[in-house]
Amino acid sequence: MLVLALETSCDDTCAAVAEDDEVRSNVISSQAAAHARYGGVVPEVASRHHVQLVTPVVRAALADAGAELEDMDRLAVTRGPGLIGALLVGMASAKALAAPARKPLVGVDHLHGHVAANFLSPDPLDPPFLCLIASGGHTLLAGVHDREGFEVLGRTLDDAAGEALDKGARLLRLGYPGGPAIERAAAEGDPGAFKFPVAMTRDPGLDFSFSGLKTALLYATRELGSEETERRRADLAASYQAAVVDQLSGKLERALRDDRWNAVALGGGVAANRLLRERTESLCHQRGLRLKLVSPELCTDNAAMIASAARYVTPQAFPDYLALDAYATKRAAA
Ligand code: KG4
Ligand code: ZN
């Protein structure tokens, strides 16, 4: 099955062509530079960039795949969750491409997309598995029983893990995006130097919370003063990163006590974090489970993962999908 997919839920304009589980093209136009000076994604700026970039990105995805729109069996587009203005650009574009060609269209849940990145070649992963998705916008522990959807086992009650890292990096004047900046600074620091709270440890469930951590860092920097904060920056970064990773891996470990899973998959930008990877590797090793880490371009936002999920969602025919709406926050299930 040949699928052309669009993904514009945040600050990357993405289009991809996949043939069954093979990625034929995967074009990602990052807007990171446009948002860097604000220290985070500005929704209005993101929408305007998507408008400019979506057509050239779709053309590039078709050209890279050596395919034409006519060849597609279906089109797919992210419906949500995400920035509503950004999502609407992708949805309007997908409808405008699909309708004149009379192609079926699939509205895909973004988080189902992150899960479905694991179904792509090489080494597609078969359910049942646990999938931890941690990015700037989402923190979700998903139980994947089949390819059609996932069970939400836990999610963040406030900030996402990547958002906590981005906000922490801003407080420490480390730049944006914060995750890699904190990771670099942390390499020179002592993770035990500061005791930041690891939230939700006494909570019996699998939800996450990161907003208290950011406040704890703010208080620590105020207490230290700007000169001392500057001098202890590596220790602060290492301790802060450790608190984020401790919470993520702690909940993962708790979820793994239930013996339903054959493998663990990591997704989202935070999955690039070396400490998180090492912790997850050792958790899997202890339990004899497979650890699936997709390539970096399939791990962060991309449209190949949307094409992958689209194989397992019933498409809508023209003109039914013209009424398809975007959603900003998570619906019950994918
Ligand atoms: O998946 P992604 O590229 O975009 C979305 O947010 O959807 O994730 C970006 C997030 C940012 O918060 C960034 O700081 C974080 O992933 N990130 C990292 C690392 N690389 C990116 N966090 C920790 N360690 C990293 N190496
Ligand atoms: Zn994402």
Side-chain angles (χ1 to χ4, degrees):
M1 183 195 295
L2 257 183
V3 184
L4 167 68
L6 278 71
E7 147 66 43
T8 63
S9 66
C10 190
D11 64 336
D12 292 315
T13 315
C14 315
V17 174
E19 183 169 14
D20 302 325
D21 63 7
E22 295 286 343
V23 180
R24 296 254 305 250
S25 66
N26 191 18
V27 179
I28 302 166
S29 179
S30 169
Q31 306 174 7
H35 300 275
R37 67 193 176 112
Y38 304 107
V41 176
V42 183
E44 176 77 20
V45 173
S47 304
R48 288 174 186 276
H49 274 81
H50 286 310
V51 169
Q52 287 172 354
L53 293 168
V54 69
T55 301
V57 164
V58 167
R59 286 205 181 116
L62 286 169
D64 286 2
E68 306 279 343
L69 184 61
E70 273 309 305
D71 306 332
M72 299 300 137
D73 294 300
R74 57 179 70 168
L75 272 67
V77 63
T78 307
R79 285 185 69 190
L83 303 171
I84 199 75
L87 288 162
L88 287 171
V89 176
M91 292 201 60
S93 306
K95 290 175 190 175
L97 284 165
R102 295 293 190 267
K103 296 287 179 186
L105 179 66
V106 188
V108 174
D109 182 89
H110 180 79
L111 296 162
H112 189 203
H114 276 297
V115 167
N118 296 292
F119 306 147
L120 291 166
S121 287
D123 303 323
L125 186 60
D126 279 325
F129 60 88
L130 260 187
C131 185
L132 175 66
I133 302 159
S135 71
H138 317 285
T139 305
L140 176 83
L141 196 50
V144 185
H145 306 282
D146 53 48
R147 293 181 175 217
E148 283 74 31
F150 57 90
E151 177 189 1
V152 177
L153 300 175
R155 57 158 43 110
T156 184
L157 302 177
D158 40 57
D159 291 349
E163 188 181 1
L165 290 163
D166 292 338
K167 287 175 175 172
R170 194 165 0 158
L171 275 172
L172 296 175
R173 298 183 197 284
L174 285 167
Y176 175 83
I182 289 209
E183 183 167 41
R184 277 192 301 275
E188 313 291 321
D190 171 9
F194 292 87
K195 288 274 164 282
F196 290 124
V198 178
M200 312 295 284
T201 44
R202 275 188 225 108
D203 177 89
L206 295 170
D207 286 333
F208 304 89
S209 167
F210 293 99
S211 66
L213 182 57
K214 171 194 67 191
T215 312
L217 178 65
L218 175 67
Y219 288 159
T221 58
R222 275 193 193 152
E223 211 165 286
L224 289 169
S226 57
E227 233 170 75
E228 197 58 10
T229 295
E230 180 75 30
R231 205 180 64 75
R232 307 281 316 267
R233 204 148 65 161
D235 285 344
L236 285 162
S239 305
Y240 192 78
Q241 174 181 254
V244 172
V245 172
D246 281 353
Q247 194 184 150
L248 292 172
S249 52
K251 291 292 164 136
L252 196 54
E253 180 180 20
R254 188 172 292 175
L256 284 172
R257 287 180 201 160
D258 171 347
D259 284 333
R260 287 188 287 174
W261 318 108
N262 295 334
V264 173
L266 292 182
V270 181
N273 187 270
R274 193 168 312 152
L275 184 62
L276 178 62
R277 286 183 173 219
E278 286 168 5
R279 290 278 180 83
T280 314
E281 260 163 33
S282 83
L283 280 175
C284 288
H285 185 72
Q286 283 161 20
R287 286 167 175 74
L289 300 175
R290 179 175 168 196
L291 172 60
K292 169 84 175 167
L293 296 168
V294 295
S295 62
E297 61 277 12
L298 293 178
C299 197
T300 55
D301 287 352
N302 68 87
M305 70 183 195
I306 303 301
S308 177
R311 293 165 61 204
Y312 305 101
V313 182
T314 310
Q316 289 189 316
F318 175 84
D320 301 352
Y321 53 74
L322 295 178
L324 207 59
D325 204 3
Y327 52 90
T329 51
K330 185 69 194 93
R331 294 164 349 132

